[in-house]
Amino acid sequence: PLWRGNRVNTLAESSASVLFQDESQIRLGEHTLVVILGDTKSAGAKQSNASDTTLVSGDLVARLGQLQGEAKAKPLVLKTQAGSVAVKEKGGEARISVDEKKTTRLASYKGASELTAQKKSVNVPEGFGSKADDGKAPTAPKALPAAPVWAKAPANVVWTESEGEHLLAFPDSLVGTDSHTTMVNGLG
């Protein structure tokens, strides 16, 4: 278990996932530091929940647990130096990041979220994002870029064929060219 005062840190090419007792979850990207602090009301409590977490640097994805027993879920609130982010709906998911200038960025992927800074709050609907520079109020929400869509399915690079109990794999190859070497070598 994580306790009040614990830090979770990731380095290059690493990630971490923390699942709290209330089924809320935070997934840390590389070069991220979070501290489990809590507020004054939870100061006596040893075990923490996601709302006791402060994002110091890096980025994470916060997800409000769908299994919370209450009819209306208690928001998952993450603190940063510039302000705080609240994921407000069960199953809601948002990416929160803090850069070297301590700017907090919020991208709401599922459900609505709220970014609060300098005593001003902005509701960020699903598919929108906002930011708050340290010492400034949050910006108005802006639409997130659309997810890329394949125009057509990618070409096969390996074909398989069953031969009895064995499965044979044949990589794509072109005689007289070297354009596939890197791709085929990358397949292992």
Side-chain angles (χ1 to χ4, degrees):
L2 290 175
W3 305 99
R4 183 175 158 77
N6 284 158
R7 296 170 182 254
V8 180
N9 189 50
T10 57
L11 301 175
E13 299 180 23
S14 65
S15 61
S17 182
V18 180
L19 180 63
F20 293 91
Q21 285 182 322
D22 64 359
E23 297 295 324
S24 295
Q25 180 182 37
I26 57 173
R27 294 187 306 257
L28 285 62
E30 63 181 340
H31 299 293
T32 299
L33 170 63
V34 295
V35 181
I36 311 299
L37 292 174
D39 56 24
T40 54
K41 289 181 230 163
S42 63
K46 288 205 172 215
Q47 286 194 319
S48 301
N49 62 44
S51 291
D52 296 329
T53 305
T54 298
L55 175 60
V56 177
S57 63
D59 73 301
L60 61 80
V61 174
R63 185 157 198 261
L64 185 58
Q66 291 179 312
L67 302 178
Q68 289 187 346
E70 303 121 33
K72 185 172 180 175
K74 182 179 169 187
L76 184 162
V77 180
L78 294 163
K79 297 163 195 70
T80 68
Q81 182 172 319
S84 64
V85 172
V87 180
K88 302 192 302 187
E89 299 175 20
K90 281 187 184 183
E93 186 171 286
R95 177 174 295 278
I96 301 110
S97 65
V98 174
D99 64 19
E100 62 279 346
K101 294 179 181 177
K102 302 302 178 197
T103 297
T104 298
R105 287 183 171 76
L106 164 65
S108 282
Y109 295 146
K110 292 181 188 169
S113 299
E114 183 176 82
L115 178 58
T116 302
Q118 297 298 304
K119 299 180 183 177
K120 295 196 180 355
S121 296
V122 65
N123 188 47
V124 182
E126 183 174 321
F128 282 74
S130 179
K131 75 173 186 172
D133 293 318
D134 194 19
K136 295 185 180 177
T139 62
K142 294 181 182 176
L144 296 173
V149 178
W150 290 99
K152 62 178 187 172
N156 288 336
V157 293
V158 176
W159 284 265
T160 58
E161 187 177 297
S162 294
E163 189 174 283
E165 293 180 12
H166 301 287
L167 181 64
L168 302 175
F170 302 97
D172 186 15
S173 62
L174 293 175
V175 177
T177 67
D178 197 29
S179 64
H180 282 55
T181 302
T182 304
M183 181 174 59
V184 171
N185 287 346
L187 295 173

